[in-house]
Amino acid sequence: MSNVVVIGSQWGDEGKGKIVDWLSSEADVVVRFQGGHNAGHTLVIDGITYKLRLLPSGIVRKDKISIIGNGVVIDPWALLEEIEEIKSKGVHINSNNLIISESANLILPFHKEMDEIREDAAGKAKIGTTRRGIGPAYEDKIGRRSIRVMDLLSEKNLEQRLETVLLHHNAIRKGLGKKIYLKEKLKKDLLKIAPEILKFSKPVWKEIDELKQKGKKILFEGAQGILLDVDHGTYPFVTSSNTVASAAATGSGCGPSTINYVLGITKAYTTRVGEGPFPTELKDKIGEELGNRGKEFGTVTSRKRRCGWFDGVLVRQTIKISGINGIALTKLDVLDELEEIKMCIGYEINGKKIDYLPAAVEDQLRVKPVYRKFQGWQSTTKGIKSFEELPSLAKTYVKELEKFIETKISSISTSPERNDTILIDDPFKN
């Protein structure tokens, strides 16, 4: 049986929700392995819309096991709110179909406040975070002072852990002229919700190993995109975790041999939310048209996305970094009405041509894209389910895109509808 990792090959928002939902119908288990409630997936099943933030996409399907791994940072109040929201739509959630790693780290109210304080103080140098406390929570994890799910088991242990983390945060808060955070109230609030969180808590590494032994198909669901990876993205305008495929192993407690296939979700153009370099960004009518036709607004934050031409250099780079085996190309239909379409096939910096995005942010901001132009097909691709039925110019664009990024396109999405997909290669059968 193949176990598949699904990740975004750009800056996120590539349409992972639809693809993950489509794949989760084949999988037995769906695992979230990084990120927090800053990244969302929208699923539409039988006319019902589900907006998921922390819960894996498998939760809305019967007889699927959903797992939140140790690599995820969890706002416990946001999670419980999301569970109730999904339950209200007729979905049954219990300890049999939802498992939370006992090692997962918690996002607490002071993390969110610290996120807001930093962004407000940064001015033009702000990162563009979602202000949900993700970064500060990961900092505490790396600093070995974090509160983990397992710490909710013991009031004595929780008190000690809170003393450690608040010693750090209150020193910073004092320096910034902010009120210190009171331990007793936070401890009381956490103990109140502890039973609701702990009933889902298990050693996830052990659960995954047992599921592997039973031959279950596992789908590892990434949040955000590779270009937001803390090591391989456009640093410092990145998230605070590793978003590459290999993070699925560390973020859930299984070895890399568990991963059989890496599917990269790739938009037929490029978008980005927040600040940071974006070589092919379009600040004109075409950019506005892509945003409007593609409905480019965040699932969680409703923030407007920046839009630009497809950047083949960046996607080819992320494919190599993350070991992507195949590409699911999304939103091809958004390009239907354009007279001319461009694809970035290189960069120029200081008069020199290069074939990769340099690591230094000052260089990333200065690179100029080198484009290849394509004639637009100016006819609808919406709902097409066969590659041969695509307009000839659309087929040319897809084939040349595939050739440039040096990776097979395994599927093409031609509308937001789940079934409007051209399936070329099934990841679970490789």
Side-chain angles (χ1 to χ4, degrees):
M1 296 292 183
S2 288
N3 297 322
V4 178
V5 177
V6 174
I7 52 173
S9 70
Q10 295 155 309
W11 278 291
D13 310 309
E14 299 95 348
K16 290 186 292 296
K18 171 185 170 176
I19 304 299
V20 167
D21 173 47
W22 170 57
L23 288 171
S24 67
S25 64
E26 289 191 58
D28 302 302
V29 185
V30 183
V31 182
R32 270 287 306 271
F33 58 87
Q34 55 78 218
H37 63 310
N38 54 338
H41 292 162
T42 300
L43 309 179
V44 181
I45 301 174
D46 297 329
I48 302 174
T49 299
Y50 304 94
K51 292 191 175 183
L52 304 176
R53 296 169 288 279
L54 273 168
L55 293 172
S57 297
I59 199 69
V60 298
R61 295 191 170 277
K62 290 182 180 179
D63 304 319
K64 309 290 181 185
I65 297 174
S66 292
I67 295 176
I68 299 176
N70 54 276
V72 179
V73 285
I74 300 171
D75 180 325
W77 294 277
L79 176 60
L80 293 175
E81 183 180 316
E82 186 176 341
I83 288 172
E84 290 306 311
E85 179 186 329
I86 300 303
K87 276 184 174 181
S88 71
K89 298 187 177 187
V91 176
H92 296 286
I93 301 176
N94 52 51
S95 57
N96 293 320
N97 68 349
L98 177 62
I99 300 170
I100 300 173
S101 172
E102 60 185 3
S103 302
N105 292 259
L106 299 183
I107 300 172
L108 300 176
F110 52 77
H111 290 131
K112 182 180 178 182
E113 288 186 20
M114 184 58 65
D115 214 349
E116 292 172 342
I117 290 167
R118 286 178 179 168
E119 281 290 274
D120 290 340
K124 292 182 179 180
K126 66 181 179 179
I127 300 298
T129 77
T130 54
R131 298 170 178 253
R132 281 169 160 72
I134 312 295
Y138 273 117
E139 287 179 43
D140 282 346
K141 174 182 177 178
I142 298 303
R144 294 164 293 188
R145 54 181 172 263
S146 185
I147 309 295
R148 301 196 288 177
V149 169
M150 66 181 73
D151 293 323
L152 300 177
L153 281 165
S154 162
E155 181 176 348
K156 181 180 178 181
N157 181 58
L158 179 61
E159 181 156 343
Q160 291 174 342
R161 299 301 301 157
L162 283 172
E163 282 182 6
T164 299
V165 71
L166 287 177
L167 180 66
H168 172 82
H169 277 271
N170 281 336
I172 296 173
R173 294 173 72 93
K174 283 180 183 178
L176 294 171
K178 305 292 180 181
K179 290 182 179 179
I180 65 168
Y181 226 93
L182 300 177
K183 180 187 68 176
E184 287 305 316
K185 182 181 185 309
L186 184 53
K187 184 182 78 169
K188 182 179 178 181
D189 291 343
L190 283 168
L191 289 173
K192 183 178 179 181
I193 62 169
E196 290 301 307
I197 297 294
L198 290 170
K199 69 182 181 183
F200 300 111
S201 173
K202 290 180 183 178
V204 157
W205 66 268
K206 189 171 185 295
E207 294 292 319
I208 290 178
D209 184 63
E210 291 173 0
L211 291 164
K212 282 168 54 182
Q213 298 301 325
K214 294 176 183 177
K216 300 295 185 182
K217 292 181 183 178
I218 305 173
L219 176 65
F220 295 90
E221 176 185 6
Q224 302 157 296
I226 297 170
L227 290 168
L228 292 174
D229 185 278
V230 69
D231 288 305
H232 301 289
T234 47
Y235 190 92
F237 301 97
V238 292
T239 193
S240 299
S241 61
N242 289 112
T243 61
V244 292
S246 53
T250 53
S252 60
C254 63
S257 61
T258 300
I259 301 166
N260 306 114
Y261 191 96
V262 180
L263 180 66
I265 315 301
T266 307
K267 199 175 286 184
Y269 50 101
T270 311
T271 61
R272 177 165 200 171
V273 172
E275 309 301 318
F278 187 169
T280 64
E281 183 174 11
L282 295 169
K283 299 180 179 180
D284 56 14
K285 288 183 179 179
I286 295 176
E288 285 291 323
E289 184 179 347
L290 290 174
N292 291 331
R293 283 180 54 81
K295 298 180 180 178
E296 298 297 350
F297 298 92
T299 297
V300 173
T301 63
S302 296
R303 289 193 296 177
K304 187 177 180 180
R305 298 170 187 148
R306 300 153 64 191
C307 298
W309 295 120
F310 180 81
D311 193 329
V313 178
L314 277 181
V315 172
R316 186 174 61 187
Q317 185 168 322
T318 59
I319 284 170
K320 295 180 186 299
I321 288 169
S322 209
I324 290 172
N325 302 108
I327 287 292
L329 189 67
T330 64
K331 294 198 172 184
L332 183 67
D333 56 301
V334 175
L335 305 178
D336 282 352
E337 296 180 6
L338 297 177
E339 291 182 18
E340 183 180 74
I341 298 168
K342 295 180 182 179
M343 180 193 303
C344 177
I345 57 170
Y347 299 131
E348 284 186 1
I349 182 168
N350 300 327
K352 180 183 177 182
K353 290 186 178 181
I354 57 174
D355 61 357
Y356 67 97
L357 187 70
V361 68
E362 54 267 35
D363 289 336
Q364 293 173 354
L365 290 166
R366 285 190 298 158
V367 295
K368 296 180 179 180
V370 176
Y371 287 117
R372 178 179 174 184
K373 297 178 181 179
F374 294 84
Q375 183 181 341
W377 44 91
Q378 294 187 286
S379 58
T380 186
T381 61
K382 188 172 183 179
I384 290 178
K385 299 179 179 64
S386 166
F387 185 79
E388 293 307 316
E389 293 177 14
L390 288 173
S392 60
L393 291 172
K395 285 191 282 189
T396 298
Y397 177 73
V398 171
K399 287 177 180 177
E400 291 302 312
L401 185 153
E402 181 180 59
K403 182 179 177 181
F404 185 83
I405 63 175
E406 301 172 8
T407 303
K408 184 175 182 179
I409 291 177
S410 63
S411 65
I412 303 170
S413 176
T414 55
S415 95
E417 295 298 322
R418 181 176 178 271
N419 293 324
D420 289 344
T421 303
I422 299 171
L423 179 61
I424 301 168
D425 197 18
D426 188 338
F428 276 119
K429 294 177 181 177
N430 278 276

